[in-house]
Amino acid sequence: MFQEKISEFVQKYRNSYISYWKDFHRHPEPSHKEIRTSGKVAEILEGLGIEVKKQVGGTGVIGLLKGDSNGPTVALRADMDALQIKEETGCEFASVNDGVMHACGHDSHTAMLLGAAHVLSELKGHVKGNIKFIFQPAEEDSPVGGAPGMIKDGALENPKVEAIFGIHMWPTLETGVMGIKEGVMSAASDRLNMSVRGKSTHAATPEFGIDAIVITSQVISALQTVISRNVSPLDSAVITFGKIEGGSRYNIVADQVDLDGTVRTFDPNTRKLVAEKISQIAKGTASSMGGDCIVDYKWGYPPTMNDHQATKIAKEAIVKTVGKNGLYEISMPNPGGEDFAFFSEKVPAAFAWLGCRPKGIPPEEFPKLHNNKFLPDEEALPIGVTYLCQVALTALEALSK
Ligand SMILES: [Zn+2]
Ligand SMILES: [Zn+2]
């Protein structure tokens, strides 16, 4: 019964959410500056008679739809921020804010969640419990993100959220396909700054100094053993230094080398272990050579973890939305970070990928996320709205048993 009602209302409100999407796309705002966007979101939710909380964790907005009968609370989350990229899509609703662009599809995430709010408001009489709509700022602001601020401001309390669901436009998947897996969906993404310290002296008399460049070369090699000797061959991790800077002149022994890098892991225990080992090995190696190493490990986004039961619910909703053939079982998690992860640390969560590559275009020819030509297929939006409604109602049903 729900299935038919949902498709009817997804069709009925199509013009509304498609126009929200184009409007948000035309007026992108970077992380923490989602003022116009969050204002529109609050206005639309209020127009639907939904209880609204503004300025949650900065520019975040929360809508609470109370069903006609009591029951658990489930949350649906969308992100609202754009990127500092100059748009080259050439579309008719291209960005009017020079150098800012919705290149990660967050405009469509926001529009689809508003679409779901329209549809679910119509179905209020059948909603057994509450549905919280979480519109978060600053997903792109790694390593801090926008989710922690909203959680701190009580986004998951009053009423207490028992499960949370989110989707992301996924350009490698064709429209009509949705991807998900249980367990880790995206990597933990941390930042690593190190400074190796020595003592300068004349290049011809190294015995009077401590060469920070020679120490650094040993430290870098030694750190690769963290991956090969400390991380299980069945797990994986990456340590990459993308920038290294040191020394002052060709004939002076360098007294300082600064390194800037990133660490990616998929398992929370591996993440802790890698951070500890990096510090131990870098400091130990430097001190064994008479120098020192200052390690600044900045914890970024944790891995997004899809909970067992929440994933089961999400898969059921995917099948109801796109059929069995549309369900893509992901084998490898995404090595990129996603700050939905912070929600997944607090409550059972499931994050899914929404195919948005128009049929007939090969994956290698379709622009990827963060590309200045990325624009999702419009046909993916009604599918996303349908899924969000399905997953909320399926979850309320499952959790009240
Ligand atoms: Zn992004
Ligand atoms: Zn994104």
Side-chain angles (χ1 to χ4, degrees), residues 90-132:
C91 76
E92 58 185 22
F93 49 97
S95 168
V96 295
N97 299 342
D98 198 31
V100 187
M101 176 196 175
H102 270 295
C104 203
H106 299 183
D107 49 348
S108 63
H109 302 164
T110 304
M112 289 188 288
L113 191 51
L114 288 170
H118 277 280
V119 177
L120 292 165
S121 296
E122 291 266 14
L123 298 171
K124 213 173 145 214
H126 307 282
V127 174
K128 295 182 194 120
N130 309 306
I131 300 169
K132 226 180 230 193

Side-chain angles (χ1 to χ4, degrees), residues 46-209:
E46 275 161 358
L48 291 169
I50 289 174
E51 205 178 293
V52 174
K53 258 192 221 156
K54 296 173 213 174
Q55 289 170 344
V56 186
T59 52
V61 176
I62 293 181
L64 182 66
L65 177 73
K66 288 182 178 155
D68 284 356
S69 37
N70 290 339
T73 301
V74 298
L76 302 173
R77 170 273 201 181
D79 38 15
M80 302 186 286
D81 58 328
L83 287 155
Q84 252 123 7
I85 293 177
K86 190 171 166 50
E87 178 160 0
E88 301 290 349
T89 63
C91 76
E92 58 185 22
F93 49 97
S95 168
V96 295
N97 299 342
D98 198 31
V100 187
M101 176 196 175
H102 270 295
C104 203
H106 299 183
D107 49 348
S108 63
H109 302 164
T110 304
M112 289 188 288
L113 191 51
L114 288 170
H118 277 280
V119 177
L120 292 165
S121 296
E122 291 266 14
L123 298 171
K124 213 173 145 214
H126 307 282
V127 174
K128 295 182 194 120
N130 309 306
I131 300 169
K132 226 180 230 193
F133 301 94
I134 298 181
F135 294 87
Q136 74 147 81
E139 193 286 322
E140 301 286 2
D141 183 35
S142 176
V144 183
M150 288 200 83
I151 294 169
K152 211 169 139 239
D153 274 4
L156 298 173
E157 305 299 324
N158 296 323
K160 197 170 171 47
V161 170
E162 289 184 34
I164 187 165
F165 302 89
I167 45 175
H168 203 296
M169 283 294 182
W170 215 255
T172 50
L173 298 181
E174 198 175 66
T175 305
V177 175
M178 292 188 68
I180 195 162
K181 75 183 278 292
E182 192 185 315
V184 59
M185 267 299 272
S186 66
S189 159
D190 300 323
R191 186 80 176 262
L192 177 59
N193 288 112
M194 299 199 319
S195 185
V196 174
R197 305 289 166 85
K199 194 174 138 198
S200 63
T201 186
H202 196 288
T205 55
E207 70 275 24
F208 297 124

